[in-house]
Amino acid sequence: MIASQKNKSKQLGMNPGTASNRLSRQLLYELGDRLDMQWCYHCAAKIESYMDMSIEHKVPWLHSEDPVSLYFDLDNIAFSHKSCNYKAARPRPSKPCPSTTAYRNGCRCDECKVLKKEQQKNYSRKRS
């Protein structure tokens, strides 16, 4: 088994576990991009690279009443920039409604929905 591991590492130029993780992230990013799901949960900007993508739990699972269910609940999963995900772990003042921040935090009032759509349209115009 060790010889096989060394052979794979030599041919891939990296640990096979690292290669597998990278391939999985590239595949996940590509599928998310095809489904137009590459928008950051926190800042709403497009995630441009699989290297900057992280998987986000919208509702923290750690120390919840049912951590296993919350961890694996696909409705509780979103993508975010790594930097946005790390910043989210630190407490920050929240912006009041209506705002795109309130939208990201779960508000779905009409004003927040309009602001979110405007932000995405502006981002799309900048890309064109």
Side-chain angles (χ1 to χ4, degrees), residues 37 41 55-62 64 66-79:
M37 295 173 60
Y41 176 72
I55 295 174
E56 176 82 24
H57 286 89
K58 297 174 188 176
V59 176
W61 60 271
L62 191 61
S64 68
D66 189 2
V68 174
S69 293
L70 202 52
Y71 184 88
F72 290 104
D73 180 5
L74 296 181
D75 291 329
N76 190 37
I77 299 295
F79 296 123

Coordinates of all heavy atoms in Angstrom, one line a residue, residues 37 41 55-62 64 66-79:
M37 N -24.8 29.3 -9.5 CA -24.9 29.2 -8.0 C -23.6 29.8 -7.4 O -23.3 29.5 -6.2 CB -25.1 27.8 -7.5 CG -26.5 27.3 -7.9 SD -26.7 25.5 -7.4 CE -26.4 25.6 -5.7
Y41 N -22.6 33.9 -0.5 CA -23.7 34.0 0.5 C -23.6 35.3 1.3 O -24.6 35.9 1.6 CB -23.7 32.8 1.4 CG -24.7 32.8 2.5 CD1 -26.1 32.7 2.2 CD2 -24.4 33.0 3.8 CE1 -27.0 32.7 3.2 CE2 -25.3 33.1 4.8 CZ -26.6 32.9 4.5 OH -27.6 32.9 5.5
I55 N -17.5 26.2 1.3 CA -18.9 25.8 1.6 C -19.3 26.4 2.9 O -18.6 26.3 3.9 CB -19.0 24.2 1.6 CG1 -18.7 23.6 0.2 CG2 -20.4 23.8 2.1 CD1 -18.6 22.1 0.2
E56 N -20.5 27.0 2.8 CA -21.0 27.8 4.0 C -22.2 27.1 4.6 O -23.1 26.7 3.8 CB -21.3 29.2 3.5 CG -21.9 30.1 4.4 CD -20.9 30.7 5.3 OE1 -19.7 30.9 4.9 OE2 -21.3 31.2 6.4
H57 N -22.2 27.0 5.9 CA -23.5 26.6 6.6 C -24.2 27.9 6.9 O -23.7 28.7 7.7 CB -23.2 25.8 7.8 CG -22.8 24.4 7.5 ND1 -21.4 24.0 7.3 CD2 -23.5 23.3 7.3 CE1 -21.4 22.7 7.1 NE2 -22.6 22.3 7.1
K58 N -25.4 28.1 6.4 CA -26.1 29.3 6.6 C -26.5 29.5 8.1 O -26.3 30.5 8.7 CB -27.4 29.3 5.8 CG -27.2 29.3 4.3 CD -28.6 29.1 3.6 CE -28.4 28.9 2.1 NZ -29.7 28.7 1.5
V59 N -26.9 28.4 8.7 CA -27.2 28.4 10.1 C -26.1 27.5 10.8 O -25.9 26.4 10.4 CB -28.6 27.8 10.5 CG1 -28.8 27.7 11.9 CG2 -29.7 28.6 9.8
P60 N -25.3 28.0 11.7 CA -24.3 27.3 12.3 C -24.8 25.9 12.9 O -25.8 25.9 13.6 CB -23.7 28.2 13.4 CG -24.1 29.6 13.0 CD -25.4 29.4 12.3
W61 N -24.1 24.9 12.6 CA -24.5 23.6 13.1 C -23.8 23.2 14.4 O -24.4 22.5 15.2 CB -24.1 22.5 12.1 CG -22.6 22.4 11.8 CD1 -21.9 23.1 10.8 CD2 -21.7 21.7 12.5 NE1 -20.6 22.8 10.9 CE2 -20.4 21.9 11.9 CE3 -21.7 20.8 13.5 CZ2 -19.2 21.3 12.4 CZ3 -20.5 20.2 14.0 CH2 -19.3 20.5 13.4
L62 N -22.7 23.8 14.7 CA -21.9 23.5 15.9 C -22.7 24.0 17.1 O -23.2 25.1 17.1 CB -20.6 24.2 15.8 CG -19.6 23.7 16.9 CD1 -19.3 22.2 16.8 CD2 -18.3 24.5 16.7
S64 N -25.6 23.2 18.0 CA -27.1 23.3 17.8 C -27.8 22.1 18.5 O -27.1 21.2 18.9 CB -27.4 23.3 16.3 OG -27.1 22.1 15.7
D66 N -29.5 19.8 17.0 CA -29.3 18.6 16.2 C -28.2 18.8 15.2 O -28.4 19.1 14.0 CB -30.6 18.2 15.4 CG -30.6 16.9 14.7 OD1 -29.6 16.2 14.8 OD2 -31.6 16.6 14.1
P67 N -26.9 18.8 15.6 CA -25.8 19.2 14.8 C -25.7 18.3 13.5 O -25.3 18.8 12.4 CB -24.6 19.1 15.7 CG -25.0 18.3 16.8 CD -26.5 18.4 16.9
V68 N -25.9 17.0 13.6 CA -25.7 16.1 12.4 C -26.7 16.5 11.4 O -26.4 16.6 10.2 CB -25.9 14.6 12.9 CG1 -25.9 13.7 11.6 CG2 -24.8 14.2 13.8
S69 N -28.0 16.7 11.7 CA -29.0 17.0 10.7 C -28.7 18.4 10.1 O -28.8 18.5 8.8 CB -30.4 17.0 11.3 OG -30.8 15.7 11.7
L70 N -28.3 19.3 10.9 CA -28.1 20.7 10.4 C -26.8 20.7 9.5 O -26.8 21.4 8.5 CB -27.9 21.7 11.5 CG -28.1 23.1 11.3 CD1 -29.5 23.4 10.6 CD2 -28.1 23.9 12.6
Y71 N -25.8 19.9 9.9 CA -24.6 19.8 9.1 C -24.8 19.3 7.7 O -24.3 19.8 6.7 CB -23.6 18.9 9.8 CG -22.2 18.9 9.1 CD1 -21.3 19.9 9.4 CD2 -21.9 17.9 8.2 CE1 -20.0 19.9 8.8 CE2 -20.7 17.9 7.5 CZ -19.7 18.9 7.9 OH -18.5 18.9 7.2
F72 N -25.7 18.2 7.6 CA -25.9 17.6 6.3 C -27.1 18.1 5.5 O -27.5 17.6 4.5 CB -26.0 16.1 6.5 CG -24.7 15.4 6.8 CD1 -24.4 15.0 8.1 CD2 -23.7 15.3 5.8 CE1 -23.2 14.5 8.4 CE2 -22.5 14.7 6.1 CZ -22.2 14.3 7.4
D73 N -27.8 19.1 6.1 CA -29.0 19.6 5.4 C -28.6 20.5 4.2 O -28.0 21.5 4.4 CB -29.8 20.5 6.4 CG -31.0 21.1 5.8 OD1 -31.4 20.8 4.7 OD2 -31.7 21.9 6.6
L74 N -28.9 20.0 3.0 CA -28.4 20.7 1.8 C -29.1 22.1 1.7 O -28.6 23.0 1.0 CB -28.7 19.9 0.6 CG -27.9 18.6 0.5 CD1 -28.2 17.8 -0.8 CD2 -26.4 18.8 0.6
D75 N -30.3 22.3 2.3 CA -30.9 23.6 2.3 C -30.2 24.6 3.2 O -30.4 25.8 3.1 CB -32.4 23.5 2.7 CG -33.2 22.8 1.7 OD1 -32.9 22.9 0.5 OD2 -34.2 22.1 2.0
N76 N -29.3 24.1 4.0 CA -28.5 24.9 4.9 C -27.1 25.2 4.3 O -26.3 25.8 5.0 CB -28.4 24.2 6.3 CG -27.8 25.2 7.3 OD1 -28.1 26.3 7.4 ND2 -26.9 24.6 8.2
I77 N -26.9 24.8 3.1 CA -25.6 25.0 2.5 C -25.6 26.1 1.4 O -26.6 26.2 0.6 CB -25.1 23.7 1.8 CG1 -25.0 22.6 2.9 CG2 -23.8 23.8 1.0 CD1 -23.9 22.8 3.9
A78 N -24.6 26.9 1.4 CA -24.4 27.9 0.3 C -22.9 28.0 0.0 O -22.1 27.4 0.8 CB -24.9 29.2 0.8
F79 N -22.5 28.7 -1.0 CA -21.1 28.9 -1.3 C -20.8 30.3 -0.8 O -21.6 31.2 -0.8 CB -20.8 28.8 -2.8 CG -21.1 27.5 -3.4 CD1 -22.0 27.3 -4.4 CD2 -20.4 26.4 -2.9 CE1 -22.2 26.0 -5.0 CE2 -20.6 25.1 -3.4 CZ -21.5 24.9 -4.5

